[in-house]
Amino acid sequence: MHIHFLAAGQGDCILIQFQDSTSTYRNILIDGGDRNRIIYNRLKNQILEIIDYGKKGFIDLVVVTHSCDDHIYGIKKMATDNHIEQYIKKYWFNSENGIAEYLGLEDKKTQDYSVEDDSIEVVKSRRQYNYDLYQTLKNSTKWNNEIICIERSSALKEFLSTILPEINVEILSPTIQNLKNLCDYWQDKQLKKDIKKSGREKEAAKRSDYQLTICQLQSNLKNYFPDDSKENGSSIALYFEINSSKFLLLGDSYSEIIRDALKAKGYSKENKLVIDFMKLSHHGSKNNINDDLLELIDCRKFVLTANPEIGVHHHPDKETLVRIINYYGKDNVFFYFNCNNCEIQKIFENDNFTNYKLADDNLKGITL
């Protein structure tokens, strides 16, 4: 099995490829990167090369974790690009229309504007991209508009067993309440005020903590402030067992949702979930990981899908990495980064810490 964390700008694009007991290749694609056309074309070509244009299997399942443009946009493009769409068999995607229908709510199209691909109004684009993908897939036999959430785990596992019978997948996020929160938020006509607010938050987010050493951050670990983005709260997060490997891919999910889901499955400080690695939530944001979650997990390898040279949020936060180091011990953790550039190289340049690996090729990402 190989898991390719492709270089998707500041976004996610993860391709899992493995062989089943019959030596048949299986492929699962999770998210498709952001709005940059150059990045999209590169990702598409990389995916086609990995599956060898169908010679190493089709893409058995595409998962859109949530509608932030750095996750959904590439899939939106793939769904109308026959060069790659012909190799896709099934989609998992929570549409606003499907959420409203499942909850018995009216699907209000309160957004009366379109969004160009190069629009900087990110909050606007998230809802519009969701709607665009819904319009593309609504008549497709590859998607049935079913809801992906914790409460429907049993039905979804049964469905997965028909297309990927030899793996175990558990849904750890979102809850149906998180999806309702997203639906309510999008249908609120006050959304434009939130757009202005998000602009101010972006300005504040430009500050980096890379100049601080591990010791400096350890001695002053800040209080944890949880992510409150409605889009991130709706993110699909998954636990996988494939062949002998066990791992978590957390999308941009809330730490609290993952914690509660694991506790509901019986995991605790005394009975930890043992996994080979974890893809950290929200590109390593300090608002999406805390000790309450770490104490439920026995893990030593952590993957970061982030590029601090792109975007304004400057993910990953070094505070996130130090929180993990502080919990497990400096010698007991290893970080994998799917990019390699001058900015990411600054993270540990003032530390005596070598337990990390940057991408060998900044345009290809990293493979585990």
Side-chain angles (χ1 to χ4, degrees):
M1 182 180 70
H2 292 96
I3 305 177
H4 305 271
F5 297 91
L6 301 177
Q10 183 55 38
D12 275 11
C13 185
I14 303 166
L15 182 61
I16 305 169
Q17 184 178 80
F18 64 99
Q19 287 181 284
D20 62 20
S21 60
T22 66
S23 297
T24 300
Y25 281 94
R26 301 289 193 173
N27 300 282
I28 303 170
L29 178 64
I30 300 176
D31 292 331
D34 64 20
R35 292 177 290 177
N36 184 299
R37 295 181 182 89
I38 294 174
I39 291 177
Y40 167 73
N41 286 324
R42 174 168 49 75
L43 290 174
K44 179 183 75 171
N45 290 331
Q46 284 179 292
I47 292 166
L48 288 172
E49 288 175 6
I50 292 168
I51 68 172
D52 197 11
Y53 297 85
K55 295 176 183 176
K56 290 187 176 180
F58 285 63
I59 302 174
D60 297 277
L61 180 66
V62 168
V63 179
V64 181
T65 60
H66 62 302
S67 294
C68 286
D69 50 315
D70 56 336
H71 295 255
I72 192 175
Y73 180 78
I75 305 302
K76 182 179 86 78
K77 291 285 286 183
M78 288 179 198
T80 58
D81 185 342
N82 192 54
H83 287 112
I84 190 167
E85 209 284 332
Q86 62 178 308
Y87 298 107
I88 296 173
K89 288 187 174 182
K90 294 290 182 183
Y91 292 88
W92 268 9
F93 159 58
N94 282 325
S95 72
E96 180 183 0
N97 171 280
I99 297 167
E101 184 177 301
Y102 184 79
L103 294 170
L105 303 174
E106 180 184 355
D107 184 19
K108 300 176 185 177
K109 194 71 176 84
T110 57
Q111 182 165 308
D112 55 0
Y113 43 78
S114 60
V115 178
E116 300 298 328
D117 284 350
D118 59 353
S119 168
I120 61 171
E121 298 288 12
V122 174
V123 178
K124 290 182 184 179
S125 70
R126 291 167 181 170
R127 188 182 188 193
Q128 187 64 45
Y129 289 157
N130 184 286
Y131 181 74
D132 290 347
L133 185 55
Y134 163 73
Q135 290 288 6
T136 300
L137 295 179
K138 67 179 183 179
N139 295 318
S140 172
T141 59
K142 300 179 180 182
W143 181 67
N144 59 7
N145 205 8
E146 66 180 350
I147 296 301
I148 313 301
C149 63
I150 291 174
E151 290 83 352
R152 299 194 64 249
S153 292
S154 296
L156 294 168
K157 281 175 66 70
E158 184 176 346
F159 162 76
L160 270 183
S161 69
T162 65
I163 62 171
L164 293 164
E166 296 182 18
I167 72 172
N168 179 38
V169 179
E170 301 285 347
I171 298 164
L172 303 180
S173 173
T175 67
I176 194 61
Q177 182 62 51
N178 296 124
L179 295 178
K180 182 180 186 301
N181 293 343
L182 175 68
C183 203
D184 292 343
Y185 171 64
W186 274 346
Q187 295 186 4
D188 184 351
K189 291 188 177 181
Q190 299 300 310
L191 183 58
K192 290 181 181 179
K193 293 182 180 179
D194 293 328
I195 295 170
K196 294 179 181 178
K197 178 183 175 183
S198 71
R200 291 194 298 272
E201 290 171 348
K202 286 179 184 179
E203 289 300 314
K206 290 182 179 178
R207 293 188 293 271
S208 165
D209 58 358
Y210 294 176
Q211 75 281 3
L212 300 174
T213 66
I214 291 175
C215 291
Q216 286 173 322
L217 284 165
Q218 279 180 317
S219 63
N220 189 33
L221 267 181
K222 297 178 181 179
N223 292 330
Y224 167 73
F225 292 100
D227 187 354
D228 62 0
S229 161
K230 301 298 188 295
E231 286 92 351
N232 290 347
S234 73
S235 178
I236 296 172
L238 301 168
Y239 165 74
F240 284 91
E241 291 181 12
I242 302 178
N243 297 336
S244 60
S245 296
K246 302 177 181 180
F247 52 94
L248 290 175
L249 301 180
L250 297 185
D252 282 5
S253 60
Y254 290 172
S255 179
E256 297 75 22
I257 296 177
I258 306 302
R259 175 201 64 198
D260 293 346
L262 292 178
K263 283 186 174 181
K265 294 181 180 298
Y267 295 106
S268 65
K269 285 182 80 169
E270 295 74 32
N271 179 38
K272 297 177 185 289
L273 171 66
V274 180
I275 55 176
D276 297 293
F277 68 89
M278 172 166 65
K279 198 287 290 186
L280 290 171
S281 177
H282 199 197
H283 319 291
S285 168
K286 62 187 177 183
N287 304 116
N288 295 76
I289 191 75
N290 62 10
D291 290 353
D292 288 347
L293 175 57
L294 293 175
E295 71 180 12
L296 303 178
I297 298 169
D298 185 348
C299 181
R300 298 296 179 265
K301 297 178 181 179
F302 301 87
V303 181
L304 283 301
T305 54
N307 186 340
E309 285 193 341
I310 298 176
V312 297
H313 294 294
H314 215 274
H315 291 148
D317 293 311
K318 187 170 181 177
E319 182 180 328
T320 296
L321 310 181
V322 171
R323 187 176 295 278
I324 292 169
I325 289 170
N326 199 53
Y327 189 86
Y328 291 110
K330 192 174 180 180
D331 297 327
N332 297 322
V333 296
F334 199 99
F335 298 110
Y336 296 87
F337 297 86
N338 75 328
C339 74
N340 187 350
N341 53 49
C342 293
E343 197 62 27
I344 205 78
Q345 290 168 14
K346 292 178 183 178
I347 294 181
F348 295 120
E349 69 177 359
N350 296 320
D351 298 292
N352 181 23
F353 182 80
T354 58
N355 285 3
Y356 67 93
K357 179 176 174 56
L358 305 179
D360 292 328
D361 187 330
N362 195 44
L363 296 179
K364 290 187 176 181
I366 198 164
T367 299
L368 270 62

